[in-house]
Amino acid sequence: MGPQMRAEIRPSQTLSPRLQRAVQLLQMPSLDFAALVRQKLGENPFLEGEDESDAAVDPHETGPLDAREDEGEGPGSAAPEAANTVWDEGVRRDGADDRDLWMQDAVNGSRAASDGELSAMEMTASETTLAMHLHGQLNVMALTERDLCLARGVVESLDDDGYLRTPLEDIADVIPCEPPASAQDMLVALRLVQSLEPAGVAARGVGECLALQVRQMEDGPCRELAERIVNEHLDALAARDIPGLASVLRVPAARVEAVVDRIRHLDPRPGWRVGNSRIDYVVPDVIVRRQRGQWSVQLNPAVVPRVRLNQVYADLFQRHRSRQNGELGEQLQDARWTLRNVEQRFATILDVAQAIVQRQRHFLEFGPMAMKPLVLREIAEEVGVHESTVSRVTSNKHMATPLGVFELKYFFSRPMVSAAGNACSGTAIRGLIGDIIQAEDSTRPLSDAEITRQLSTQGLVVARRTVTKYRQLLRIEPVDKRRRHA
């Protein structure tokens, strides 16, 4: 018997490219989805943004996002006169982007709009870097030109954390000064920069960074003990070995612990305190409010694109349609498909959010301790979709509640059966563990095994490794690092 080949016909389900794209759009975060729709607005002539006057949407009701900004009519668009001024002066060069124009305009000075109001350039916050912050302090100091040049060379060699990773000899080689800077000159320049704010800047290591900040402590005895710990016992400080430090320094453990706590509150990255760091804000997809004793769920209008079909263009195309306009036909079909996806996407998100709130209303009223166990299958059966659809809907979607903003996946947790046969959620047990640790005696903190025994006395059978995992999720330190000395 040798190998044989035969053909069989079997029915199978496959996703079309358009359906695969719809699944991807459903899983996409709402802000990214809104950006994609705005891109479609600029590319597809059959799509247009709705005006507020046309939509007449109540701010407390579900409504799409205003798309006038993309048409140059929104509050973020610059005045036409200011734009013409930029072009007339020849500021813009080939290949220059809008950010270059803004930055160059900020350097040349702010321009007021023609109607006397503030222009967009004047309302833009200027970026302050660590180097700019330090140069500003050096400029007001009574320094010679040589000392100022050497100090600026040190400032320009700092990294974003505020540390000096480059050797002083290498910095001296690239500074043009006569006579060449010696090692002593560079050390003086380094000490000068280290005296600037923020404290700890221009350090060559973590120990030196902490030592520079310890010098600013007002308490003399505390400052001396902190300097000894930072300069001589940095490894024990990192391990928080309070008994070992107390034995070596011959100081009571309570005093060592108080000083160590002050040292641990110092900033090991002083450069982060200066400059505009990018902050990614979470924009909720749905908003939960309590009205007349009932919890209501509404879509956030800020994440719903306000887009509609341009009916005038669609009617003209249908009346004059021909084989030569095949590309326009594809764009019309794509526009209708986009609108259908927008409607279906946010309708599904709203249905899932309403089902979650209906099952977790006790959480909204009493907090994490009242969270019920919930799985994707329950929501899928109630909404009438597949579990994979619920998983995609709850991915990267957030809900704003009176208790805070939570990801939709936060409300799902597998059931854990208690000794009495009742089911409780992992979120509730996690909250109970946090309450137990918060109420413990700081001089005799509870270990994970002791917390497990306390939970068992309350009828909750939880493994010790599960308690350890939940404690780590709560970002609570282990027992040896929570212990405080009397």
Side-chain angles (χ1 to χ4, degrees), residues 251-328:
V251 178
R255 183 183 174 190
V256 172
E257 185 176 36
V259 174
V260 168
D261 286 341
R262 294 195 60 179
I263 295 175
R264 293 176 68 89
H265 281 81
L266 300 178
D267 191 357
R269 296 181 178 90
W272 289 13
R273 285 182 278 171
V274 181
N276 298 326
S277 58
R278 182 174 178 269
I279 302 176
D280 295 328
Y281 294 97
V282 175
V283 180
D285 300 89
V286 292
I287 302 174
V288 180
R289 297 186 179 94
R290 186 165 187 172
Q291 299 175 351
R292 298 178 182 179
Q294 300 293 329
W295 293 101
S296 63
V297 184
Q298 299 173 349
L299 288 174
N300 185 5
V303 299
V304 183
R306 179 166 294 166
V307 61
R308 65 184 178 186
L309 183 68
N310 192 323
Q311 197 62 42
V312 176
Y313 287 175
D315 294 341
L316 286 174
F317 174 76
Q318 293 293 347
R319 287 198 299 266
H320 303 282
R321 187 168 186 173
S322 64
R323 295 182 178 180
Q324 299 177 356
N325 299 329
E327 184 177 354
L328 286 177

Side-chain angles (χ1 to χ4, degrees), residues 162-287:
Y163 284 89
L164 182 64
R165 312 289 186 183
T166 307
L168 294 176
E169 296 79 6
D170 296 346
I171 301 176
D173 294 339
V174 298
I175 297 179
C177 61
E178 291 293 337
S182 62
Q184 185 65 26
D185 294 337
M186 294 305 302
L187 188 59
V188 172
L190 175 63
R191 299 305 181 200
L192 176 62
V193 177
Q194 289 179 348
S195 65
L196 304 177
E197 291 292 335
V201 74
R204 290 164 291 185
V206 179
E208 187 176 11
C209 178
L210 297 177
L212 292 172
Q213 300 179 56
V214 164
R215 296 174 187 173
Q216 296 188 351
M217 291 184 178
E218 298 180 356
D219 189 355
C222 179
R223 181 176 61 253
E224 295 177 1
L225 182 58
E227 288 180 349
R228 291 181 60 188
I229 295 175
V230 170
N231 296 327
E232 303 174 8
H233 309 284
L234 190 61
D235 294 338
L237 172 65
R240 198 179 176 84
D241 186 9
I242 304 299
L245 287 173
S247 177
V248 173
L249 300 173
R250 297 182 180 179
V251 178
R255 183 183 174 190
V256 172
E257 185 176 36
V259 174
V260 168
D261 286 341
R262 294 195 60 179
I263 295 175
R264 293 176 68 89
H265 281 81
L266 300 178
D267 191 357
R269 296 181 178 90
W272 289 13
R273 285 182 278 171
V274 181
N276 298 326
S277 58
R278 182 174 178 269
I279 302 176
D280 295 328
Y281 294 97
V282 175
V283 180
D285 300 89
V286 292
I287 302 174

Side-chain angles (χ1 to χ4, degrees), residues 239-240 242-243 257 445-447 477-485:
R240 198 179 176 84
I242 304 299
E257 185 176 36
L446 300 174
S447 64
E477 295 179 334
V479 57
D480 56 339
K481 293 187 178 182
R482 298 200 312 270
R483 181 174 289 106
R484 297 293 181 265
H485 296 271

Side-chain angles (χ1 to χ4, degrees), residues 44 82 119 136 185 214 224 244 272 285 306 330 413 431 456 466-467:
N44 198 318
S119 64
D185 294 337
V214 164
E224 295 177 1
W272 289 13
D285 300 89
R306 179 166 294 166
E330 294 178 358
S413 60
S456 63
T466 303
V467 173

